[in-house]
Amino acid sequence: MNENKTINKSLWLIITIILALIVGIGCFLLGKNQEKSKYIKEQELSIALNRTELEALGDIEGPIYVTGHKSPDTDTVGSCIAYARLLQKLGYDAKPVVLGRINNESKYVLEKAGIEAPELLEDASGCNMVLVDHSEFEQSADGLSDANIISIIDHHSDGSVKTGNRLIYDARPLGSTATIVWMRYRNYGIDIDKDTALAMIGSIYSDTEALSNDTVTFADEEAVKALSEIAGASNLDTFWEEMHEAALSYEGMTDEEILENDYKEYECAGVHYGIGVIKASDKETAMDIAGRMEKALTSVKSSHGMDMVFAQIRYDVGEDTYTYILPSDDVAAEVLKEGFGDTWEFDGKGYLTSPSVSRKSGIVPVITEVLNQFPHE
Ligand code: MN
Ligand code: MN
């Protein structure tokens, strides 16, 4: 009996020790894991990059042109300059170019940074090309199908550009292309010039509305922190206000030019469509512009040979942000009804939502889904 009790006691002691050990080890591992995830968070901006990938592109004869999309925006302009300068620092003969008129916001940013506007590229045939901030043929340089595309650096959905080349294709769902360019500088270990840094902040601010919209990531925030230190930019609020003011001044522009100011074309299920984004300072201005878009939508649709065109008008009321979208015709109206009819407010002409959404993540995916459901003939 006594012996049994002793055995029982020992057994319980062993079980208790084992349980304690399991709990102890468990806690230890959990702690380690938390430490590990914290470690990863801090390290996650370090992507594996090395210059051999550039060397693997082989000898590149002639200059490399770095371009963003047509209807250049500030991300396109800042990113083509920053990436061309990165390639220059790595020993390449690289040149930033644009594919059209630079908008008022980009003009302001370049003036503030003291950087000359990139030259216009008329035709890309036979050129070495790097595409930034887009990967759609529709949005890119004329003659691109006869060009040698060596890299694509982008933050949109994968586009229609197919190269058949082995290339550097760096696509990340971050707030701006300039953030990806910043990561590439960082990971190649190359210093960013002061003026380039300010242009890059302009790019990130333009695409993310000063780090406020739904596409902002940890990387974008870290990029702005690092770049503002390099640029010595202490008052980014004023910088953003002035960018915003410049962006909203449509002085001297026709209604068509206003619609084309930040305009992109897409193709889905055989349907070609365009979306022009127009920022307005307040509701009154937004509705005034909306009224003027009716004719402009029709004429841009026909001058660009599109099946449908949309005008996305964005404005703020106090802290609230709004998106109002208008169709060019009945078929386009049907697409909007199908995509947004259940969730957005309809006023008889267009659809309204708040908070505002971006064209890239809030509009294009919805239209894509609708067009893919349309019966194919
Ligand atoms: Mn862009
Ligand atoms: Mn962009």
Side-chain angles (χ1 to χ4, degrees), residues 100-344:
R101 178 185 168 277
I102 286 187
N103 69 31
N104 295 348
E105 182 193 75
S106 306
K107 262 184 213 154
Y108 165 78
V109 169
L110 290 186
E111 264 165 35
K112 200 81 185 164
I115 298 175
E116 293 229 344
E119 277 172 35
L120 195 72
L121 182 76
E122 299 278 359
D123 197 295
S125 311
C127 298
N128 299 308
M129 299 297 299
V130 169
L131 309 185
V132 297
D133 200 34
H134 73 296
S135 63
E136 301 275 358
F137 266 114
E138 288 83 355
Q139 297 165 9
S140 202
D142 294 338
L144 191 74
S145 46
D146 299 320
N148 176 33
I149 300 167
I150 58 172
S151 302
I152 299 173
I153 316 289
D154 191 22
H155 69 133
H156 297 85
S157 54
D158 55 334
S160 54
V161 173
K162 294 278 174 293
T163 68
N165 294 344
R166 280 165 18 98
L167 76 167
I168 294 174
Y169 197 155
D170 194 353
R172 296 167 196 279
L174 305 181
S176 84
T177 299
T179 303
I180 307 174
V181 176
W182 169 72
M183 286 170 81
R184 297 190 73 83
Y185 267 98
R186 188 177 189 266
N187 289 282
Y188 281 135
I190 302 287
D191 288 337
I192 300 173
D193 294 332
K194 199 176 168 183
D195 53 350
T196 315
L198 192 64
M200 291 169 86
I201 296 170
S203 294
I204 301 170
Y205 265 33
S206 175
D207 266 24
T208 63
E209 308 206 7
L211 298 179
S212 75
N213 74 11
D214 55 359
T215 59
V216 178
T217 65
F218 177 68
D220 301 301
E221 286 163 356
E222 291 299 300
V224 168
K225 261 186 228 163
L227 291 166
S228 54
E229 231 165 79
I230 298 166
S234 52
N235 200 339
L236 287 180
D237 289 346
T238 311
F239 182 59
W240 171 237
E241 266 168 39
E242 288 173 359
M243 272 177 73
H244 201 59
E245 257 169 48
L248 298 180
S249 72
Y250 295 108
E251 266 177 34
M253 291 167 73
T254 65
D255 294 346
E256 283 76 12
E257 280 171 343
I258 293 172
L259 182 57
E260 287 169 328
N261 187 58
D262 177 10
Y263 170 84
K264 284 186 185 174
E265 290 179 352
Y266 306 86
E267 192 270 331
C268 177
V271 177
H272 295 265
Y273 68 97
I275 307 174
V277 176
I278 304 157
K279 290 178 192 165
S281 50
D282 50 47
K283 189 177 178 181
E284 206 189 330
T285 317
M287 290 309 135
D288 173 51
I289 290 173
R292 286 155 54 191
M293 279 308 116
E294 222 164 298
K295 260 196 195 153
L297 279 162
T298 314
S299 61
V300 167
K301 180 187 151 187
S302 84
S303 67
H304 287 248
M306 290 289 109
D307 297 310
M308 50 187 90
V309 173
F310 303 93
Q312 182 191 355
I313 302 165
R314 306 179 65 164
Y315 63 94
D316 302 346
V317 177
E319 295 285 295
D320 297 324
T321 60
Y322 292 85
T323 269
Y324 180 65
I325 189 164
L326 281 169
S328 59
D329 54 78
D330 290 349
V331 185
E334 202 53 42
V335 170
L336 291 185
K337 188 182 173 196
E338 199 60 31
F340 304 107
D342 293 339
T343 44
W344 294 21

Side-chain angles (χ1 to χ4, degrees), residues 69 73 76 133 264:
H69 50 78
D73 57 17
T76 265
D133 200 34
K264 284 186 185 174

